[in-house]
Amino acid sequence: MLSRQIKDSGTLLDSVDAMRNWRALVLLLITLVVGALLMGLGTLLAGFSYFFVALFAIGAYGVMFYGVNAAGVMLMDEAHGQRSRSIVDAVAHSLAHSHRLLLVYLWLAALYLAGLALLAVVVFACKLPLFGPMLYAVVFPLAVAASGVALFALPMVVFPLSAPSVWNGATARECVSQLIAISRRRLGMVLVLMLVVACIAALVGLLIAAVLFGGVAITAGVSGPILGSVDISGGFDAAGRSAHAAAAGFGSSVLFAAACTLPGLVYLRGVSTVYLQALDGLDLAAEQAHVDAHLDYAVEKARELQEQAQARAQQMAERARATAAAATGGGAAADPSVADPPADAGTPASAPAPATACPSCAAAVQAGDTHCAACGRALT
C-alpha cells in the first residue's frame, strides 16, 4: 500500500501541466477579477446603504462559486485524459450542476450534527451513578479519536473531494456516498495525496512569487531613471507621474491576479486526480447500497418519531378538550342563574295521582270508578 501511495504521489506532478490550460486560466482569471470588482463596488456604495454591501457580496460569491467550478470541470476533463471543453460549455455545466455541491454540504452538515447529538447522548449516559465513570473511561478515548478524524477529514477529504465528485457528474446523494466510501476505505491514501497536492501548489506559488518580485525589481529599476519613481501600489510622488503610477498599479494587479490563478489551477487539477485515484477499484454500487440502506433507516426512524409525536400531540389535545368540556358542564349545573323556573311562571303543573281508596269508608276503588261501590260517595 505504501508503494502504491508513493507511485500515486508521483503522478500528481502532472498537475503542474494545468498551467498550460489557457482556457481554464482565462476563465479563472476573469472569475477572480469580476468577483473583486463586485466586492469593490459594494464597498464604494456602502456610504449609501449597507444593503449594497450584502447584495454585491452575494453577487461576488455567486460569480466566484460558479466560475471556480467551471474551471474545475475543465480540469476534470484534463484529468480524464480528454481535451477540456470550451469556456461556454464549462460555464453552462457549472450553472446547471454546481448547486448540487451546496446540497452536499447541507447533507454533510446534517450528518455531523447527528454524530454530535449521538455523542451528547452517550456522554449523558455516563452520568449514571455506578457505571458512569467506567463507561466514560471507554467513551472518552473513542470519542476523541472519532471526533478528531471527523474534523481532520473536513479540510483534507470532504471539502477538496466533494467538488470533483460534482464535476464528474455525480448527484448529491452519489457524492455523499462516494465521500463516505473514500473515508472508510481510502482515508490514509487520500490524506497523503492531498498533502502532496498542497505542497506542489504551494511550491508553484513560491516560484511564481520569486519570479514576479525579481521582475518587479528589475522593471522598477529601469523605469525609475526614465519615468521617475513609480509606486506599483498606486501611489506617486508627483502630480505629473500619477498616470504612470496608476498604469503600474493596474498592470501589477492584473499580473499578480494571474499569478494567483496558476497555483489555483494546479490545486484544482491535483484534487481531480486524487478523486479519480481514490475511486479506482471501489465498488461504488455496493457502497451506494450501503449508504442508501443507512439513509433509508434514518429516514424511517425520523418518520416514526414524527408520527409518534403527532399521535402524542393529538392525545394531549383530546385530553384538554375533554377536561374543558367537563369543567364547562359542572359550572352550568352549579350556576344558580340557570335554575328551574317556578311553576307559576307559565310552566304547567303536573296532574294529581288517581285515588286508589274511598276517602269515606277506605274501600278499594278502581281507577275508572266515579262512585264508591261500598258507600256510594262520589269520587270525582
Side-chain angles (χ1 to χ4, degrees):
M1 182 62 69
L2 180 60
S3 60
R4 180 182 177 183
Q5 292 177 4
I6 296 175
K7 180 181 178 180
D8 293 339
S9 301
T11 60
L12 291 177
L13 294 175
D14 296 335
S15 302
V16 182
D17 293 336
M19 295 187 296
R20 300 168 55 186
N21 192 334
W22 65 269
R23 286 189 295 268
L25 175 63
V26 170
L27 177 58
L28 192 57
L29 178 61
I30 293 175
T31 299
L32 296 179
V33 171
V34 173
L37 289 176
L38 289 176
M39 290 293 294
L41 185 57
T43 304
L44 291 176
L45 296 176
F48 296 96
S49 175
Y50 286 103
F51 170 77
F52 293 104
V53 179
L55 180 63
F56 282 94
I58 294 175
Y61 173 77
V63 169
M64 297 185 68
F65 176 76
Y66 286 103
V68 171
N69 280 282
V73 170
M74 300 173 70
L75 295 175
M76 177 59 73
D77 294 337
E78 193 174 278
H80 278 290
Q82 304 172 358
R83 187 174 183 271
S84 62
R85 66 193 72 186
S86 64
I87 295 178
V88 176
D89 293 340
V91 172
H93 185 277
S94 178
L95 292 175
H97 300 93
S98 294
H99 60 274
R100 298 176 181 174
L101 191 58
L102 301 178
L103 184 59
V104 169
Y105 290 154
L106 290 177
W107 281 22
L108 292 174
L111 290 177
Y112 271 76
L113 289 177
L116 188 61
L118 178 61
L119 177 60
V121 171
V122 174
V123 173
F124 186 82
C126 295
K127 296 179 64 176
L128 295 174
L130 182 59
F131 299 100
M134 299 174 57
L135 179 61
Y136 191 66
V138 179
V139 169
F140 183 79
L142 294 179
V144 169
S147 58
V149 171
L151 288 179
F152 192 70
L154 283 175
M156 300 301 295
V157 178
V158 174
F159 292 135
L161 298 188
S162 56
S165 179
V166 175
W167 301 341
N168 202 37
T171 62
R173 190 161 186 168
E174 292 173 350
C175 180
V176 173
S177 66
Q178 290 175 6
L179 291 176
I180 295 176
I182 291 173
S183 300
R184 292 175 58 218
R185 308 291 185 183
R186 307 285 175 82
L187 181 60
M189 183 189 74
V190 169
L191 292 179
V192 173
L193 296 181
M194 287 304 304
L195 288 175
V196 174
V197 169
C199 292
I200 293 175
L203 182 60
V204 170
L206 290 176
L207 292 176
I208 294 175
V211 171
L212 290 182
F213 281 114
V216 167
I218 295 176
T219 305
V222 173
S223 301
I226 301 174
L227 300 176
S229 179
V230 178
D231 185 5
I232 63 173
S233 63
F236 52 90
D237 59 353
R241 303 191 187 100
S242 60
H244 295 90
F250 176 78
S252 62
S253 300
V254 175
L255 182 62
F256 280 97
C260 291
T261 60
L262 294 177
L265 291 176
V266 173
Y267 183 79
L268 295 178
R269 170 64 189 278
V271 296
S272 300
T273 304
V274 171
Y275 166 77
L276 295 178
Q277 292 179 357
L279 291 185
D280 187 20
L282 286 181
D283 189 358
L284 295 181
E287 297 293 339
Q288 183 70 42
H290 177 78
V291 174
D292 289 343
H294 283 78
L295 289 177
D296 293 339
Y297 176 77
V299 170
E300 184 65 24
K301 295 297 292 184
R303 185 180 295 110
E304 291 179 0
L305 292 176
Q306 183 180 5
E307 292 177 355
Q308 292 176 3
Q310 291 178 352
R312 190 175 303 171
Q314 185 177 1
Q315 291 177 0
M316 293 179 64
E318 292 177 353
R319 191 178 303 170
R321 286 196 297 267
T323 303
T328 304
D335 191 358
S337 62
V338 293
D340 294 334
D344 56 356
T347 304
S350 57
T356 58
C358 178
S360 298
C361 62
V365 296
Q366 300 296 327
D369 294 342
T370 57
H371 293 81
C372 179
C375 63
R377 180 177 175 174
L379 299 177
T380 56

